[in-house]
Amino acid sequence: NTNGSCQSVLDGDGHAVTPSTVLIVDAMDTAIGKKAVDRGGKNLDCIGEEIKRYMGRPKYPSPIGGQVYPPSVLVGLLIAKVASDVQRVVGQCKQLVLAVPTNFGEVRREAMQHAVEIAGLDLVGLVDESVASALAFYDGVMPKDSENIVVVDIGAGKLDVAALNSGSGTLTVLSSDGDPHLGGVDFDEVLVDLIGEGLVVAYGYDPRGQQLHARQLMRGCKGARERLSAVETIKIQVQIPGKTTTVTLSRAKLEELSAELLERIRVIIEGVVATAKWQVSDVDKVLLGGGASAMPMVRQIVESCFPEVEVVHLPENSVANGAAIYAGIRQTILAGETPSVKVEAVTARALGMRGTNVKTGEHVNAVVLPKDTRRPVKISRILKTHQANQRNLMVQLIEGESANPDECIH
């Protein structure tokens, strides 16, 4: 703003957060964000949700309005809507910094860049959401003394964890990991399955097999999960054929059934700390953010990983504010000046080529650029051809850490 401070802008619907939801009935009837969510119950075949989960894939899993769309097109519509809302407040602006999940590899990052092009905007830079959270926490000014911090960001659809070092004007990512399919939605599905199985026993009816009732149940469970962060038990109404029934849900039961999800969170956190070559005692602060971090069980699992470490609960707009700070850093660099903060990131995923094990004949992932390599980087590796004096070859790049190339992204 005019005072040089970060200021969040509400979207056109008056909300601080725009859901990643797109509704397309036809070319003349579309809705994005909260309006798409509100209309979704009556247009079940026309809605796309949690779109970021599918970035990097050739198409969204199901047709929308009878058409097949690449996820980058749907995200482009979201970006264009948010940009239009911002321009109503700040005036014409074509440049954009986009915060992306830290665990996004090059394939997904390129898809996000394509989405920005579809939105008709100019991309100034991509910033990891964990880096953005740290920049917002420090308000763009690194401490004089070195600090080791772990950022844990669990949103609606994904988990991001990163180990960073801050100090002397530099913010350095040492290691990162995450899961694009571990977020609030997955805890909602725990409640959906609990209620669905209970209704099968009580009434012989499973709402998960009926599209309208399944969607209504999913929305009800999302609200229930959020409310259970503040109360021990709640009641929700569920539609079954011919009537509405009331179901009582408890936080204790949700926590019991979420044990596997919580363990996945723990494993990823411990792996990031180990990859950074830290002990838990080396960590000075933990920054915990994302909408799903409001759940007491998520806070408890994070605190149990760092029993003697201060856990800071970040406000909802931290990633947005950090992206704005990073935009200032990028503008300073583009102007040929030295920024107040130097950001050093790492590769989120390994990059390699599909090769062949000469002893077994099996295809392998010949990693050229290991995961968590400092960016930017120039690296080379010499590989042999299948035959002597071979004149042609096809190089198939793959992304991922598995030795089996079929388990990686091509």
Side-chain angles (χ1 to χ4, degrees):
N1 58 23
T2 54
N3 296 323
S5 301
C6 292
Q7 179 177 334
S8 297
V9 177
L10 300 180
D11 67 14
D13 303 316
H15 301 288
V17 177
T18 302
S20 298
T21 305
V22 173
L23 181 139
I24 305 174
V25 178
D26 55 47
M28 301 302 294
D29 188 3
T30 63
I32 298 172
K34 183 64 166 56
K35 290 180 179 178
V37 173
D38 293 340
R39 292 181 56 191
K42 297 181 180 179
N43 299 273
L44 296 173
D45 296 330
C46 303
I47 196 163
E49 299 178 288
E50 296 301 332
I51 301 164
K52 280 199 300 186
R53 283 190 166 201
Y54 307 103
M55 290 301 285
R57 299 186 185 181
K59 61 183 180 180
Y60 187 74
S62 58
I64 301 175
Q67 301 291 324
V68 175
Y69 292 92
S72 56
V73 170
L74 302 176
V75 171
L77 295 175
L78 280 164
I79 294 173
K81 183 254 195 285
V82 173
S84 176
D85 292 342
V86 171
Q87 288 171 356
R88 290 193 185 101
V89 178
V90 304
Q92 184 67 20
C93 180
K94 297 282 289 182
Q95 293 184 314
L96 171 77
V97 161
L98 193 63
V100 298
T102 304
N103 63 67
F104 267 21
E106 294 307 311
V107 173
R108 291 186 173 96
R109 289 171 191 263
E110 287 181 9
M112 294 298 282
Q113 293 176 33
H114 185 45
V116 174
E117 295 173 1
I118 291 171
L121 300 170
D122 299 326
L123 185 65
V124 174
L126 296 175
V127 59
D128 294 351
E129 291 180 2
S130 58
V131 170
S133 294
L135 288 172
F137 173 73
Y138 289 113
D139 199 19
V141 180
M142 295 298 104
K144 291 183 179 179
D145 297 328
S146 175
E147 284 189 344
N148 291 333
I149 61 174
V150 173
V151 178
V152 180
D153 186 330
I154 179 165
K158 56 79 186 173
L159 169 69
D160 263 346
V161 182
L164 306 94
N165 176 264
S166 62
S168 302
T170 303
L171 181 64
T172 303
V173 182
L174 300 177
S175 65
S176 65
D177 202 356
D179 190 332
H181 296 278
L182 179 53
V185 171
D186 301 279
F187 290 89
D188 299 341
E189 290 176 350
V190 169
L191 290 178
V192 168
D193 289 339
L194 172 64
I195 294 173
E197 291 163 7
L199 293 178
V200 169
V201 173
Y203 300 99
Y205 174 71
D206 191 343
R208 296 169 294 181
Q210 207 279 342
Q211 194 177 34
L212 176 58
H213 287 176
R215 179 166 178 78
Q216 291 172 336
L217 180 58
M218 189 67 177
R219 292 184 67 178
C221 287
K222 178 180 184 297
R225 187 256 304 168
E226 292 172 346
R227 288 158 56 199
L228 283 172
S229 294
V231 299
E232 293 293 335
T233 61
I234 60 167
K235 293 182 179 181
I236 67 170
Q237 291 186 325
V238 180
Q239 294 287 333
I240 60 175
K243 68 173 185 177
T244 300
T245 186
T246 300
V247 176
T248 300
L249 299 171
S250 70
R251 182 194 298 174
K253 190 63 175 179
L254 173 59
E255 292 177 349
E256 174 190 336
L257 296 175
S258 300
E260 186 268 338
L261 296 176
L262 296 172
E263 182 59 23
R264 285 165 61 189
I265 293 173
R266 179 192 296 277
V267 168
I268 290 174
I269 290 174
E270 292 177 346
V272 167
V273 172
T275 302
K277 295 181 172 55
W278 290 349
Q279 303 294 324
V280 171
S281 58
D282 295 323
V283 179
D284 297 304
K285 287 187 180 70
V286 175
L287 309 183
L288 178 59
S293 68
M295 290 187 289
M297 60 179 157
V298 170
R299 297 188 174 195
Q300 290 164 8
I301 197 73
V302 172
E303 290 169 357
S304 70
C305 292
F306 304 96
E308 304 296 328
V309 181
E310 178 187 3
V311 177
V312 179
H313 301 286
L314 299 174
E316 188 177 49
N317 61 353
S318 288
V319 171
N321 285 351
I325 293 171
Y326 186 75
I329 293 172
R330 289 294 302 161
Q331 293 286 43
T332 300
I333 293 173
L334 293 173
E337 302 174 3
T338 302
S340 58
V341 180
K342 180 182 179 182
V343 177
E344 297 179 342
V346 296
T347 54
R349 288 267 141 334
L351 290 175
M353 296 182 289
R354 177 183 282 267
T356 302
N357 185 317
V358 294
K359 294 182 179 180
T360 65
E362 295 178 343
H363 286 152
V364 296
N365 175 13
V367 174
V368 176
L369 187 65
K371 181 180 180 296
D372 290 323
T373 300
R374 187 73 51 81
R375 299 182 303 186
V377 60
K378 182 178 181 180
I379 196 167
S380 65
R381 178 177 174 182
I382 298 175
L383 299 172
K384 295 181 179 180
T385 56
H386 280 262
Q387 300 173 0
N389 302 314
Q390 186 172 324
R391 299 177 64 86
N392 300 293
L393 74 161
M394 181 181 71
V395 177
Q396 186 175 13
L397 297 178
I398 53 179
E399 180 180 273
E401 292 73 56
S402 175
N404 182 356
D406 294 330
E407 297 175 355
C408 301
I409 298 175
H410 295 257

